[in-house]
Amino acid sequence: MSNVISFEVVENTAVITFNNPPVNALGHAVRSGIVDALDKANNNVNVKAIILIGGGRTFPAGADITEFGGPLLEPGLPEVVNLIENQTLPVIAAIHGTALGGGLEIALGANFRIATKEAKIGLPEVHLGLLPGAGGTQRFPRIAGAKASIELMTSGTPIRASAAHKLGVIDKIANDNLLDSALSYSNTIIQNKLPAVKTSERTDGLQDKKSNKEAIENARNALKSKAGGLHSPFRIVDCIEKALNSSIIEGLKYERDAFIDCLNTPQREGLVHAFFAERKSSKVPEAGRAAPRQLEHLGVIGGGTMGSGITLAALKSGMQVTMVEQDSGSIARGIQNVEKVLDRDISKGRLDLSGKAEIMGRYTPTTDFQNIAEVDMVIEAVFEEMEVKKAVFKKLDNVVRQGAVLASNTSYLDIDEIASATKRPRDVIGLHFFSPANIMKLLEIVIPSNPYDDVVATGFLLAKKMRKVPVRAGNCHGFIGNRILSIYGELAAYLVEDGATPEQVDTAVRNFGYPMGPYQMFDMAGLDIGWANRKAGASSRDPKRRYVSIADRICENGWFGQKTGKGFYEYPEGIRFGVENPDLKQIIETERSKKNIIPKQFSEQEIMRRYMAAMINEAADVVHEGIALRPSDVDVTLLYGYGFPRYRGGPLKYADMYGLEKLAEDIKEFEKEDPIFWKLSPLIEKLIKENKNFDSLN
Ligand code: CAA
Ligand code: NAI
């Protein structure tokens, strides 16, 4: 028997335990092991019932995702689940942790399910571009009906054991010791000869035909706007509908075909890549070499947009926070920024008054820097000006205890220069949050020349506490994300000056899968920020490099986007998405005529060909220069900070799927028009020469 499955007989019950840490994924060895163990149980005359239980922290959390895309190794999961269901002995699934995907499907193959009250069950395959492919779409609805099945499978969100018990999917909630409870349940089943009904023969969920039919229709309608470009949610609904109207054999076959259909999509490839990329990004050399420092009490400098968002993220993760502002008016605004969000949480029922009181008890607003003398880490979020930041760090150096980590939330500035204002530059790093910092998942951890390993490790610990997705970034202008953004932002400006409208660019980018286009995003973030940045960089700009002044002309009118009611779009009172700015056409035409540009027509495909080429080329340079540790870290950055569609995996995964040779041809074609902006990244050239792709560097 394989060592990932163990077998023992306790009284009259065979206990089959999954031992495949960390999450008991159902890889080939586990599947074969189950078959062998069932065989062994059947060959033992003393065995009258079988328990399936997870060793370690969980019942199986699903198929082994690393096997997707490779050859299908027998026995497949559907066969294993069928085998479980066809046992003559009663089978009990004893669930703790998270029974997800194939794990829950195994449990549905059993006749009885007992779970701890903390356990969760779910069918999250939709997050991987898939559907439950081992009978989940056929068995779950037979117990729980269409509505609950659709909710579980199209959202991918797990439910608690108590909710699953109400649905009839869990038969019994265990006492403290799961195995003891399961064994006693087994004895009851054996002694009372409880009927071991197969899930595929259950009809409880099929009775209310009218509401099941309505649930299918409603789901199809809702998905038209809610599916976000995903294919698999539609196929999930098809499969559930099939479960309502067909025999189990027909239904399982239908599900298998739909599963293979989803398995072969680029969406599945992109989403599985995103799953592993996200988990890899926290694996960095510094954290491997050193343990993090103590991290309980955070000092935050500035209570503006970012300072208050960071404060909220830290408070919600259970930390103590002291916020420092420059004067009483500013700290009052800082407090208001924090309370506003907590009050909204209360109004939405996500928090109660005592919860707010508890959080506010860990929050100390002040205007006195002395109050952060004893904190473990400080994050500075003051104005984006080098001299202001350096003055703050000088003060921190004088006030804050030795051993504390000093961090800046700067978007673009040089962390080494900021660190040079202190006598302890090796304790300084960048922690680049995204707005709103209490919501956005990305945290770029920016590494200056030579920080202590444990300083970097503490940055990663902060991300873990706050449940952020951390990415290690080198110290350059804009780090990973903003550096790449400034290049495709520039390209978007070229497109408009050359003939496209901002609406056309935004529509193309949205149709590619982004929630919004770049011009909508600029208007939302505020055009003044970019304007200030361009003015600051004017003296160092290459005079030969193409420069588009349209955004400057807009800003000169005092139009800074949403906050002033006008930018690339106009925002009449009460409107959420912008409408056309009637003055923009004139501005664009004037700028074009100054350069004698005859406007061209751009198809959506052409817009995206250029937009993606610019993004990928810069992303490749970011990897080439070591600013990102690996291509998947760039993907994670753009997925979590910039709205890149997850089902495309990130720009460098997309590049692999698009084809590097084709991409290089595009770039060389554009280089003929503008050899200064377009220079093929040496990394792309190298990968093509070596017949490799970006994924080979992950
Ligand atoms: N296959 C392979 N590896 C997996 C895995 C899976 N199903 N689930 C998790 N892992 C790995 C992770 O990559 C990670 O590896 P490293 O330590 O090397 O980075 C490790 O297990 C721990 O995972 P997390 O860091 O995510 O741990 P967590 O405690 O934060 O979360 C979890 C645990 C909730 C189970 C989470 O890992 C998760 O959501 N996993 C995916 C669950 C899933 O999607 N299951 C459905 C699979 S598809 C399926 O089953 C198809 C089918 O119907 C036939
Ligand atoms: P903001 O203008 O909303 O807030 C800055 C706050 O700093 C103000 O409340 C100000 O009173 C305070 N402040 C200034 N000098 C101070 C001092 N010496 N001591 C204490 N407080 C002081 O600015 P915002 O948007 O919060 O930006 C802060 C930093 O975060 C900047 O470096 C910015 O580049 C960066 N950032 C901003 C993002 C955004 O989307 N707004 C995103 C990511 C980073």
Side-chain angles (χ1 to χ4, degrees):
M1 176 139 352
S2 67
N3 55 4
V4 287
I5 293 287
S6 64
F7 179 89
E8 63 175 326
V9 177
V10 182
E11 294 172 16
N12 292 125
T13 301
V15 179
I16 299 176
T17 308
F18 301 91
N19 284 317
N20 187 27
V23 300
N24 285 319
L26 297 158
H28 178 240
V30 177
R31 298 195 303 270
S32 321
I34 301 173
V35 175
D36 293 346
L38 289 173
D39 210 29
K40 216 166 164 184
N42 285 310
N43 287 330
N44 185 327
V45 287
N46 294 326
V47 170
K48 303 280 184 261
I50 300 167
I51 289 177
L52 298 171
I53 190 166
R57 64 196 234 203
T58 185
F59 198 79
D64 185 339
I65 302 170
T66 56
E67 288 182 359
F68 293 157
L72 291 172
L73 300 169
E74 299 294 336
L77 202 52
E79 291 81 61
V80 173
V81 176
N82 290 343
L83 184 70
I84 293 171
E85 195 176 59
N86 288 327
Q87 294 298 301
T88 42
L89 297 172
V91 182
I92 303 147
I95 300 171
H96 76 299
T98 43
L100 301 179
L104 177 56
E105 291 174 301
I106 291 256
L108 288 167
N111 309 104
F112 303 93
R113 283 160 292 279
I114 178 169
T116 63
K117 57 179 182 304
E118 298 80 19
K120 286 186 177 172
I121 65 157
L123 293 167
E125 287 84 347
V126 69
H127 295 314
L128 302 171
L130 289 169
L131 49 85
T137 67
Q138 303 305 300
R139 292 193 175 91
F140 199 91
R142 283 178 156 78
I143 304 178
K147 189 160 180 277
S149 304
I150 291 165
E151 259 165 38
L152 190 81
M153 296 181 219
T154 60
S155 75
T157 310
I159 55 172
R160 293 180 182 284
S162 54
H165 188 235
K166 269 195 205 127
L167 289 175
V169 175
I170 297 294
D171 303 297
K172 206 171 166 54
I173 301 292
N175 299 325
D176 286 348
N177 186 317
L178 177 62
L179 182 58
D180 286 352
S181 297
L183 284 167
S184 123
Y185 192 24
S186 172
N187 280 336
T188 312
I189 292 164
I190 296 168
Q191 274 156 26
N192 299 337
K193 298 197 169 58
L194 294 187
V197 181
K198 293 179 183 180
T199 307
S200 61
E201 287 173 1
R202 284 179 65 167
T203 54
D204 349 6
L206 308 181
Q207 299 303 326
D208 192 345
K209 292 203 163 49
K210 185 162 169 277
S211 86
N212 280 342
K213 191 161 179 267
E214 267 170 26
I216 297 284
E217 275 166 22
N218 293 345
R220 288 212 171 102
N221 284 333
L223 285 177
K224 281 182 200 151
S225 57
K226 268 175 48 187
L230 287 178
H231 172 65
S232 78
F234 292 96
R235 300 309 322 265
I236 287 172
V237 176
D238 293 345
C239 289
I240 294 172
E241 186 179 42
K242 191 78 183 169
L244 304 175
N245 305 321
S246 310
S247 71
I248 187 76
I249 294 175
E250 270 178 60
L252 289 176
K253 180 172 179 325
Y254 188 87
E255 178 196 81
R256 195 69 207 151
D257 292 344
F259 180 80
I260 302 286
D261 166 36
C262 293
L263 193 67
N264 290 333
T265 58
Q267 293 194 347
R268 188 275 305 161
E269 206 179 328
L271 287 165
V272 168
H273 171 80
F275 177 86
F276 286 115
E278 180 185 335
R279 280 155 182 81
K280 203 176 266 178
S281 73
S282 55
K283 298 190 170 73
V284 298
E286 293 87 349
R289 289 193 296 255
R293 295 182 184 176
Q294 172 178 311
L295 185 58
E296 301 298 332
H297 190 168
L298 185 70
V300 175
I301 315 299
T305 309
M306 295 309 288
S308 53
I310 295 166
T311 298
L312 279 157
L315 289 171
K316 287 188 175 179
S317 72
M319 295 175 77
Q320 202 181 328
V321 183
T322 302
M323 175 195 274
V324 189
E325 259 289 356
Q326 48 187 350
D327 52 49
S328 56
S330 308
I331 197 66
R333 273 195 301 279
I335 298 170
Q336 210 181 13
N337 289 340
V338 170
E339 283 210 71
K340 200 170 58 193
V341 174
L342 297 179
D343 289 340
R344 202 172 50 227
D345 284 351
I346 291 178
S347 72
K348 300 230 155 161
R350 294 193 288 249
L351 186 71
D352 58 20
L353 285 171
S354 69
K356 179 181 169 189
E358 189 279 319
I359 290 177
M360 292 301 281
R362 286 185 278 109
Y363 169 49
T364 313
T366 177
T367 53
D368 185 354
F369 271 73
Q370 288 300 334
N371 288 335
I372 52 165
E374 292 304 319
V375 299
D376 302 320
M377 174 189 267
V378 181
I379 303 178
E380 162 279 309
V382 305
F383 305 132
E384 182 78 346
E385 282 169 40
M386 183 55 89
E387 291 319 309
V388 179
K389 302 238 186 236
K390 280 168 95 170
V392 167
F393 272 76
K394 196 153 189 255
K395 217 182 225 177
L396 294 178
D397 197 26
N398 291 331
V399 169
V400 181
R401 71 170 175 86
Q402 292 297 320
V405 173
L406 306 181
S408 172
N409 178 50
T410 177
S411 311
Y412 287 95
L413 300 175
D414 180 356
I415 308 290
D416 277 315
E417 190 175 345
I418 295 175
S420 73
T422 72
K423 290 192 276 307
R424 38 175 143 162
R426 298 191 68 190
D427 285 334
V428 178
I429 49 169
L431 288 175
H432 183 215
F433 288 82
F434 288 72
S435 179
N438 49 315
I439 308 274
M440 293 289 285
K441 296 274 278 177
L442 183 65
L443 175 60
E444 277 183 301
I445 300 190
V446 187
I447 315 294
S449 327
N450 191 23
Y452 288 117
D453 287 341
D454 61 355
V455 169
V456 176
T458 313
F460 278 85
L461 175 62
L462 180 77
K464 193 168 176 202
K465 280 186 176 237
M466 290 181 169
R467 295 176 178 216
K468 302 278 180 212
V469 179
V471 171
R472 183 192 188 279
N475 182 26
C476 65
H477 189 72
F479 320 125
I480 297 178
N482 281 347
R483 170 171 161 176
I484 297 171
L485 166 68
S486 53
I487 296 297
Y488 65 81
E490 213 174 330
L491 187 276
Y494 296 170
L495 287 168
V496 167
E497 198 175 54
D498 285 340
T501 63
E503 290 92 328
Q504 279 169 342
V505 175
D506 284 346
T507 306
V509 170
R510 276 200 313 271
N511 288 342
F512 181 81
Y514 273 85
M516 63 173 81
Y519 288 102
Q520 292 172 302
M521 196 263 286
F522 296 145
D523 269 3
M524 197 180 80
L527 302 180
D528 47 332
I529 299 174
W531 193 31
N533 226 337
R534 290 192 296 278
K535 283 192 280 194
S539 58
S540 57
R541 195 164 35 237
D542 176 357
K544 293 204 282 297
R545 192 175 174 103
R546 179 173 177 188
Y547 183 79
V548 178
S549 307
I550 295 167
D552 296 350
R553 296 292 95 81
I554 294 175
C555 290
E556 283 158 14
N557 285 297
W559 301 334
F560 297 151
Q562 283 191 19
K563 61 185 167 191
T564 58
K566 207 163 176 172
F568 284 99
Y569 295 92
E570 206 169 53
Y571 300 87
E573 199 69 50
I575 206 160
R576 197 157 154 234
F577 299 107
V579 294
E580 191 186 327
N581 172 353
D583 301 309
L584 186 63
K585 197 160 176 259
Q586 186 59 52
I587 293 177
I588 295 174
E589 279 172 7
T590 308
E591 291 306 309
R592 281 179 191 152
S593 66
K594 277 189 208 162
K595 296 186 185 171
N596 298 320
I597 292 173
I598 299 160
K600 286 189 286 219
Q601 296 279 343
F602 287 97
S603 67
E604 221 169 275
Q605 193 201 10
E606 184 56 15
I607 289 173
M608 288 319 295
R609 195 164 73 98
R610 288 167 184 262
Y611 196 77
M612 290 312 300
M615 187 188 299
I616 295 164
N617 202 42
E618 189 66 13
D621 278 344
V622 161
V623 177
H624 184 61
E625 291 167 26
I627 297 298
L629 273 186
R630 42 179 99 87
S632 64
D633 282 1
V634 176
D635 289 340
V636 171
T637 306
L638 281 262
L639 290 176
Y640 282 97
Y642 299 83
F644 195 95
R646 189 175 170 90
Y647 64 77
R648 294 191 189 272
L652 295 179
K653 179 67 189 174
Y654 174 81
D656 280 349
M657 294 200 271
Y658 183 81
L660 297 191
E661 283 185 19
K662 196 162 133 211
L663 176 79
E665 278 164 26
D666 289 348
I667 294 174
K668 283 179 190 154
E669 177 192 326
F670 306 147
E671 200 177 342
K672 290 183 196 137
E673 294 166 17
D674 182 351
I676 295 176
F677 181 81
W678 293 104
K679 280 195 188 73
L680 182 62
S681 169
L683 180 59
I684 298 177
E685 269 187 306
K686 181 170 178 279
L687 288 171
I688 292 173
K689 207 179 282 166
E690 294 172 0
N691 203 16
K692 288 186 178 158
N693 61 10
F694 285 109
D695 216 13
S696 68
L697 305 177
N698 283 323

